[in-house]
Amino acid sequence: MSTLRRPLRVLFVCLGNICRSPTAHGLLRSRLVDAGLTGQVEVESAGTGTWHIGHPPDARAMAAAAARGVDIGDLRARKVKSSDFSDFDYVIAMDHGNLADLQALAASQGTPRARIELMGDFSPEHAGQAVGDPYYGGDNGFERVLDMISACVDGLIRQLQNDLAGEHSRD
Ligand code: 4NP
């Protein structure tokens, strides 16, 4: 049995890449440490829009994450690129608009390696739901975003653990 496997790669995508997807990025990165999966899973985030390329996360998103012990201050926004669909195993959209944009982009690339999923579908209680855009709302929106993302990240970790176990059994 080989232990030389490439890491699973996860890309979270929202519109601006300064609120929801960096929050998911930071939460998963932190939970991977807790789950002992550092090095077995790699995480990035990106946006479908261009407005905030190179910017750090929104101050409200950083504060909400920090209140739960997660530092996302090092993250910088980038735009989704076509190679993401071949470089990542999971490309995970925060809402249905992001999902449609990603599916259209991926279709123009031929057959993508990545599974393109809706974030809400990783949590049974949120299946089919969007992680709503908090950008134009109050601080409360960021709390709700964190609650939902947290539940979804739990489900995603279980999925990744299953994937990793499956890869081992095929070695
Ligand atoms: P995000 O939120 O997609 O969760 O990063 C947004 C951030 C910025 C904008 C829209 C949504 N904007 O229009 O600039």
Side-chain angles (χ1 to χ4, degrees), residues 14-22 51-52 58 94-95 98 132-136:
C14 61
L15 183 58
N17 192 208
I18 57 168
C19 297
R20 293 164 292 175
S21 61
W51 311 284
H52 298 287
D58 185 285
M94 293 295 137
D95 65 31
N98 308 145
D133 186 348
Y135 186 63
Y136 294 107

Side-chain angles (χ1 to χ4, degrees), residues 119-152:
M119 183 66 162
D121 286 345
F122 287 99
S123 163
E125 66 181 300
H126 296 292
Q129 296 176 9
V131 181
D133 186 348
Y135 186 63
Y136 294 107
D139 291 348
N140 184 37
F142 285 84
E143 289 302 315
R144 285 205 307 276
V145 159
L146 260 165
D147 288 341
M148 182 167 169
I149 286 177
S150 180
C152 296

Side-chain angles (χ1 to χ4, degrees), residues 6 12 24 28 35 43 47-48 53 69 80 100 113 124 139 147 151 154-155 162:
R6 64 168 184 78
F12 293 112
L28 178 58
V43 197
T48 57
I53 291 171
V80 174
R113 174 172 114 203
D139 291 348
D147 288 341
D154 285 345
N162 283 342

